[in-house]
Amino acid sequence: MKVRFWGTRGSLPVAQKSSAVRDKIAAALVAADGRRFADTAEAARFADDTLDFATNGTYGGATSCVEIEAVGGPSDDGAFIVCDLGSGLREFGLNAMARCAAGHARLYHVFLSHLHWDHIMGFPFFVPAFDPGAKIVIHSGHPDAETALRRQQEEISFPVAFDWLRADISFRTLEPGQRYPIGAVTVELIAQHHSHVSYGYKFTDADGKCAIYSTDSEHKIDRMDGESAFVDFFTECDLVICDTMYSLADSISMKEDWGHSSNVIAIDLCHEARAKRLALFHHEPTYSDADIQRMHRESIRYEELTREAAPLDVICAYDGLTVEI
Amino acid sequence: MTGGNLVWTAQARDTLRVVSPAGRIDESTATAFAEHLAQEIEVAAGDGAKQLAIDLSLIDYMSSRGLRGLTLAQRKSGDHGITIVLVQPNDIMREILAISRYDMVFKVYDTIELVPSGAL
C-alpha cells in the first residue's frame, strides 16, 4: 500500500509569500558558507543533505486530499482511492489523468471525511469530473454529500454547474460499524466529533496493511472515556493520519469546540493503539514551514518522553509526500 | 494517600495548599489523578485556601489525559475562587508543559517558595 499526500493544510489553502522564499534562500546561502557548486544537481544534493526541510522545501498549502494506492483482493477494480476533495484534488486530478493516459482505469472511489468547504473545494477543479469516460463514486457517512457538492457549484458560487460535469458521478452513504470491500481495500468508518459530524476511515488491503484517515476530529475533554473507541479503531495500524492542527492547550481553551485535535492527543492514542506510524496532518494555515517543523520535532520528542512500549514513528505530512506501507 | 498507582502527599501553607503526586500519569492513572485533584480542591476550599499548588517534581511523565485533568481541575477550582499553579516541574514535565503549551495556560514556578501569596 502507498499513501500519497496531495493536500495537507487545514481549513484554508495558503501560499508562500515572497519574503518566506527569500528567507529560505538566505538561510541556504548562509549554510553554504561560500562553497561553490559545479551545477544545480550538486547544489540540490547539498540542499537535501544539509538543509532542514523548512529551508529546503515546504509543507505546502493545499487543503485535504490523500490518495491510497492498493492492489489485490476480490473487489479490486483498479480504481483510484481518494480521501477528501480539498484543493489538493486539483493536482491529483491532473496526475490521475496522466496515469489514465498510460492505461490506469478511469474509476475513482472518493471517501469524504465531512462536507466542510476546505474538504470539498477542489471538486469543481477536478479534471476527471469532466471526462465522459470516468466513473466517480463518492462515499460518505453523510447522506447530504450530494447536496453539498451541488450547492458549491450553484451559479452564486461557481460558473460551472454540477450538471455540466461529464463523468458518471454517484453517491453512496456508508454506515459506521460495517466493513465494505471497495476497490482494492476493505473500508470501515467511525463517527468523529466535529460540526455536522465527521468520519474517520480505515483502509485495509489484501495483505492486511492498514491506513487510517482521521481528520477534523476533536477529542473532547469531557468525553475522554470515548477515546477508547478510537484506540480500538487505530489498533496496530501501519499508518494513522491524524488531525494535529492545534497545541493541546489551544484545543481545550480558546479553540475548544472548533473541531480539531492536537499532536499530543494523537501520539497518546497511537501509543495506546500500538500503531506503527503517525502522520501529522491538517496543518494550521497560519503556521509557517518553520512552525510546522518545530511542531514535528516537538511531537517526536513527546513520543520519546511518553513511550512505554515499541517506538511510534512520527512523520509530518506535506504536499507531495508518498509513504510506503 | 494513593490514587490509582499515584502516591500523594499534601500540606497547607496559610492560603496555599500544596499537593505532591508521585508516579506516572498515563491512561491507567489519569482518571484517578483527576478525581483526586477534585477532592483536593474541595479540601482546599474547606480550608479557605486561595491557591492550590501542584508539585510536579515527582511525576515521571504526564500524558494528554493527565494534562486535561489539570484543565478540568482548573475549571473546578475557578468555581471555588481558587487558583491552581504548577510548581517544581522536573525536566521531563517542563518539556511536556512546553510541548503541549500548558506553560501558557498555567503559571509555573520553579519552587514553592516563589509562589506569590494571595490569589494570582
Side-chain angles (χ1 to χ4, degrees):
Chain A
M1 182 185 287
K2 287 181 182 173
V3 178
R4 291 192 185 88
F5 293 88
W6 296 94
T8 58
R9 191 68 68 150
S11 301
L12 188 73
V14 295
Q16 297 279 322
K17 288 194 174 79
S18 63
S19 59
V21 175
R22 180 208 56 207
D23 290 347
K24 289 171 188 280
I25 293 171
L29 291 171
V30 169
D33 195 24
R35 81 183 62 189
R36 299 181 64 84
F37 301 100
D39 50 29
T40 54
E42 186 180 337
R45 281 195 297 276
F46 167 80
D48 288 341
D49 297 342
T50 308
L51 305 179
D52 60 26
F53 185 77
T55 302
N56 78 18
T58 179
Y59 292 91
T63 64
S64 301
C65 183
V66 176
E67 178 189 0
I68 310 286
E69 182 179 311
V71 293
S75 58
D76 187 2
D77 53 8
F80 293 102
I81 297 168
V82 188
C83 301
D84 277 339
L85 305 170
S87 68
L89 183 73
R90 192 191 68 86
E91 193 161 335
F92 164 72
L94 296 173
N95 182 275
M97 290 296 286
R99 281 188 268 170
C100 288
H104 195 287
R106 291 148 80 183
L107 303 174
Y108 301 82
H109 289 299
V110 174
F111 297 88
L112 287 177
S113 65
H114 64 308
L115 311 175
H116 286 169
W117 193 21
D118 54 317
H119 294 258
I120 62 171
M121 60 169 44
F123 194 65
F125 303 91
F126 186 44
V127 174
F130 295 86
D131 173 6
K135 181 177 181 181
I136 302 170
V137 183
I138 298 176
H139 308 264
S140 175
H142 299 79
D144 48 355
E146 182 171 0
T147 301
L149 290 191
R150 286 184 172 276
R151 192 175 59 183
Q152 74 169 344
Q153 291 191 236
E154 289 178 1
E155 186 180 7
I156 195 169
S157 301
F158 200 72
V160 180
F162 187 91
D163 283 334
W164 296 4
L165 302 174
R166 303 297 307 280
D168 173 3
I169 303 170
S170 60
F171 293 82
R172 181 185 184 191
T173 305
L174 305 180
E175 299 280 345
Q178 304 294 314
R179 290 168 58 87
Y180 299 95
I182 298 173
V185 291
T186 298
V187 183
E188 299 166 74
L189 61 163
I190 185 172
Q192 305 176 138
H193 185 84
H194 196 76
S195 171
H196 199 63
V197 78
S198 69
Y199 293 91
Y201 291 89
K202 179 191 289 187
F203 302 94
T204 307
D205 72 7
D207 295 330
K209 297 292 185 183
C210 170
I212 298 278
Y213 180 71
S214 173
T215 192
D216 295 64
S217 176
E218 181 170 358
H219 299 283
K220 294 283 292 175
I221 190 170
D222 52 358
R223 297 182 203 163
M224 285 193 271
D225 290 346
E227 289 170 17
S228 59
F230 287 89
V231 172
D232 291 344
F233 197 68
F234 293 178
T235 294
E236 296 183 349
C237 261
D238 298 282
L239 175 67
V240 181
I241 302 164
C242 267
D243 167 3
T244 55
M245 190 166 179
Y246 302 139
S247 69
L248 179 64
D250 273 352
S251 73
I252 50 86
S253 56
M254 186 176 66
K255 295 171 181 174
E256 186 173 16
D257 292 323
W258 288 17
H260 298 285
S261 189
S262 67
N263 53 341
V264 166
I265 290 179
I267 291 166
D268 285 348
L269 292 176
C270 286
H271 268 162
E272 203 174 352
R274 302 180 305 282
K276 297 178 180 66
R277 188 180 292 175
L278 165 67
L280 310 174
F281 183 75
H282 205 270
H283 306 310
E284 160 67 48
T286 64
Y287 278 8
S288 67
D289 286 323
D291 293 332
I292 297 173
Q293 181 170 268
R294 185 181 310 113
M295 185 270 293
H296 182 202
R297 288 174 174 167
E298 290 176 342
S299 302
I300 290 170
R301 180 61 179 150
Y302 179 81
E303 191 281 329
E304 291 171 348
L305 291 171
T306 58
R307 183 190 304 157
E308 290 185 300
L312 170 70
D313 183 18
V314 180
I315 64 173
C316 193
Y318 60 87
D319 298 4
L321 172 67
T322 298
V323 177
E324 184 114 28
I325 298 175
Chain B
M1 186 181 288
T2 62
N5 293 321
L6 301 172
V7 177
W8 293 76
T9 56
Q11 56 177 303
R13 296 186 176 196
D14 298 326
T15 59
L16 172 67
R17 181 172 180 80
V18 182
V19 293
S20 304
R24 304 163 78 88
I25 303 174
D26 57 17
E27 283 61 38
S28 65
T29 58
T31 300
F33 173 71
E35 290 173 351
H36 194 97
L37 271 184
Q39 293 169 16
E40 291 291 351
I41 291 165
E42 296 290 345
V43 172
D47 291 348
K50 296 298 181 189
Q51 297 179 88
L52 179 67
I54 303 173
D55 175 2
L56 300 175
S57 60
L58 298 176
I59 297 296
D60 296 332
Y61 81 73
M62 185 180 290
S63 73
S64 66
R65 290 197 195 177
L67 293 166
R68 286 178 285 172
L70 291 176
T71 297
L72 291 172
Q74 187 182 47
R75 292 175 182 179
K76 181 179 175 66
S77 69
D79 296 339
H80 293 281
I82 296 172
T83 301
I84 290 182
V85 298
L86 309 178
V87 297
Q88 301 188 134
N90 56 38
D91 289 346
I92 290 174
M93 278 308 304
R94 195 176 292 280
E95 275 197 86
I96 289 174
L97 293 174
I99 290 168
S100 63
R101 304 293 185 266
Y102 261 57
D103 56 0
M104 310 288 280
V105 293
F106 282 92
K107 289 207 179 269
V108 183
Y109 297 96
D110 289 340
T111 67
I112 293 169
E113 287 69 31
L114 289 174
V115 179
S117 60
L120 298 174

